[in-house]
Amino acid sequence: RVLDDQRSLLAWAERLAALGADAPRTLAMPLHAFQLAPDCVLLGLAHEPFAGYQAALTAASPFAHTFVFGYTNGSNAYLPTAEAFYLGGYEAFGANKLFGLPPLTADCERLVTAAAHDLLRSLSD
């Protein structure tokens, strides 16, 4: 198992090294929101967000009914919460290597939720 993990990590590093300056440094995170009624909004997040995003965004939304969807506008990675980075695991530390993506950090939760809150507030104004 350890040898397989090391081989996977080496293959990921080799893929990124081969890309050189063209290697991805960030992960695009398009967000979209559609207000269906004065108290109802659909919020779309790209990739596969952890359930914690839905709970946090719904609780802080200015709309009584906020529906959060993942996989909108593509899905290239898992979108772990900050807690998931603390706990570790495949989704936080292994999947990006398998998909050939740059590593994410625990700060991604703060960045994504801040952008989503801004988007929801812009609709409610």
Side-chain angles (χ1 to χ4, degrees):
R1 170 90 174 116
V2 171
L3 187 56
D4 287 340
D5 289 346
Q6 291 171 339
R7 285 183 182 139
S8 178
L9 181 59
L10 178 61
W12 171 73
E14 288 172 343
R15 281 193 307 271
L16 288 181
L19 291 172
D22 294 329
R25 304 276 185 247
T26 60
L27 180 65
M29 184 62 198
L31 302 170
H32 292 72
F34 302 95
Q35 186 173 356
L36 300 177
D39 63 346
C40 182
V41 69
L42 304 178
L43 177 63
L45 306 176
H47 312 300
E48 185 173 340
F50 277 35
Y53 283 91
Q54 188 275 332
L57 293 170
T58 300
S61 176
F63 297 92
H65 306 286
T66 301
F67 300 92
V68 180
F69 296 90
Y71 306 102
T72 62
N73 292 311
S75 179
N76 297 328
Y78 289 103
L79 193 59
T81 59
E83 179 183 30
F85 283 96
Y86 173 75
L87 296 173
Y90 168 76
E91 293 88 352
F93 296 108
N96 60 310
K97 294 172 184 70
L98 180 65
F99 301 141
L101 299 170
L104 298 176
T105 65
D107 200 36
C108 71
E109 180 180 7
R110 182 190 61 78
L111 295 170
V112 170
T113 55
H117 290 152
D118 289 347
L119 182 57
L120 291 171
R121 277 194 296 277
S122 74
L123 285 177
S124 70
D125 290 341

